[in-house]
Amino acid sequence: MNRTLPYFHTYSFDDNFAVTGSVEVDKPGPILANWQMYPIEEAVKDGPIPMMTMGFDLELFPEVSDQLEIARSTHRQSLSFIQIYDDSPGAKLGDIVVFSQILQPIIENGNVVAALMLKLPWLEFFQKLNIDGLSDTIAVLRSSCDIGFGSLFDTGSELSYLIDSKGAIFMGQLDAHDPKYDDLVVSRVVVDFDLDEAEIPEGVCVPTLTLDLYPTEELEVTFQTSKPKLYTAVVIAIFAFTSLVFLLYDYFVGRRQRKFMARIMRQDRIVSNVFPAAIRDRLYEGEQKGSKEENLFDPLGGGGGAGGAPLADLFLETTVVFADIAGFTAWSSAREPAQVFILLETIYGEFDKRAYRHNVFKVETVGDCYVGVAGLPEPDKDHAMAVCRFARDCVKTMKDTTLKLEVSLGPDTSELELRVGIH
């Protein structure tokens, strides 16, 4: 049957693509006019150029036969891959160009009478991509069907392209990505016609295309930075500085506290030597209850007790002992002050030991006179006996001590005697 295609088959670049005529085609099967292919093949610009005097007989192309079978069975569009040798300028011998063609059937009375076809060259597609961060990336186009026709080309299901800042490079019919970047893949389904498998002829494969993007080692290097190391060093430096400041602060605070505690301990020893434990405790309690400016060493003044009242107690049962050194005035007039101090310090030190042993409270020492009392600040019913025993020991100690000091303080030191009075 002869058909007249109501479409132009000749056009002119110089005449605004004016229609110049039509052509009669005598073909039994689906036909495809050349101008219906996109993109239109390049042509020279001079004069009207007849593109085709007749349409394509699609049955003559084996790479389209499966698509026609799908079109007749489903009346739906389909996709196939075409591989040809690259004959473009600069191409090397054996270079292959892979593109996909999408066929859209034209149905008339339930029959496929013609087709529209879209050719998609994948290399040009990836070369024209302009996506931020897509530089130095491996693009793997995966098909659910084998890609390849005949024995001239390899078969497989993957195509790999290297996308860099200059464009794209076809790497081959393989999966060229580095497996160590498997967990960083970005995958999308780009073509899926969702055809009913029951309607597809046996032995015909309808490909579903998936695009996987993988980073390369070059891309990883561009994102490598020394900032984490710098930040780590800064954090360590800050931590070291704060630790040093804390240690210095702890050291100086500790030293200050040790000095303060040493001073408190010295004051406590002084108070303990001057006052009995009971009086000392009452002085401390008065300090806590009274003003912070109270004087701990003024028991008779405003700081002597709580509320400024002096500390005074009445003891009815006490015994007082007075002990002075006979001959001390004459002996000391012939001695150096240091020798006088050694004598008194040694003798009174021994008296203090006896006083502690016999529970006698030392009141004071005035010159060569030692004053003690028993029965206070804690009552003692045997206060008189305690004083007597204390006086007896002091007399004996006086003799022994002066005899020992005679070597260093002079021969007449042993002639000193102790006089004791008890009341």
Side-chain angles (χ1 to χ4, degrees), residues 62-91:
E63 59 268 26
V64 189
S65 60
D66 286 347
Q67 289 183 279
L68 288 177
E69 290 294 330
I70 296 172
R72 290 191 181 101
S73 301
T74 65
H75 293 178
R76 298 276 303 278
Q77 66 271 23
S78 61
L79 176 141
S80 65
F81 280 91
I82 304 295
Q83 299 183 84
I84 60 174
Y85 287 116
D86 189 359
D87 58 357
S88 62

Side-chain angles (χ1 to χ4, degrees), residues 62-63 81 83 85 146-156 173:
E63 59 268 26
F81 280 91
Q83 299 183 84
Y85 287 116
D146 284 340
I147 303 173
F149 301 92
S151 60
L152 295 178
F153 307 105
D154 296 332
T155 60
Q173 198 164 331

Side-chain angles (χ1 to χ4, degrees), residues 246-295:
F246 176 78
L247 291 176
L248 290 175
Y249 174 79
D250 182 70
Y251 169 76
F252 287 112
V253 170
R255 187 177 68 171
R256 179 181 178 184
Q257 290 179 341
R258 287 190 294 270
K259 289 182 178 180
F260 181 76
M261 289 302 299
R263 179 179 178 185
I264 294 298
M265 294 301 294
R266 286 195 298 269
Q267 292 180 354
D268 184 72
R269 285 195 296 270
I270 294 172
V271 174
S272 298
N273 290 332
V274 174
F275 303 104
I279 302 301
R280 179 198 61 194
D281 295 340
R282 290 171 64 182
L283 288 174
Y284 287 154
E285 292 176 0
E287 182 188 37
Q288 294 175 359
K289 296 178 181 179
S291 170
K292 293 182 179 180
E293 298 180 355
E294 290 177 350
N295 187 359

Side-chain angles (χ1 to χ4, degrees), residues 122 125-126 129 131 134 137-143 157 159-161 163 185-191 208-214:
W122 289 106
F125 172 79
F126 290 116
L129 282 180
I131 301 176
L134 200 59
T137 303
I138 298 291
V140 179
L141 188 65
R142 304 184 190 275
S143 173
S157 59
L159 300 173
S160 293
Y161 297 85
I163 304 173
V185 63
V186 177
S187 182
R188 295 291 186 273
V189 176
V190 292
V191 176
T208 297
L209 300 186
T210 303
L211 180 61
D212 295 340
L213 298 178
Y214 297 91

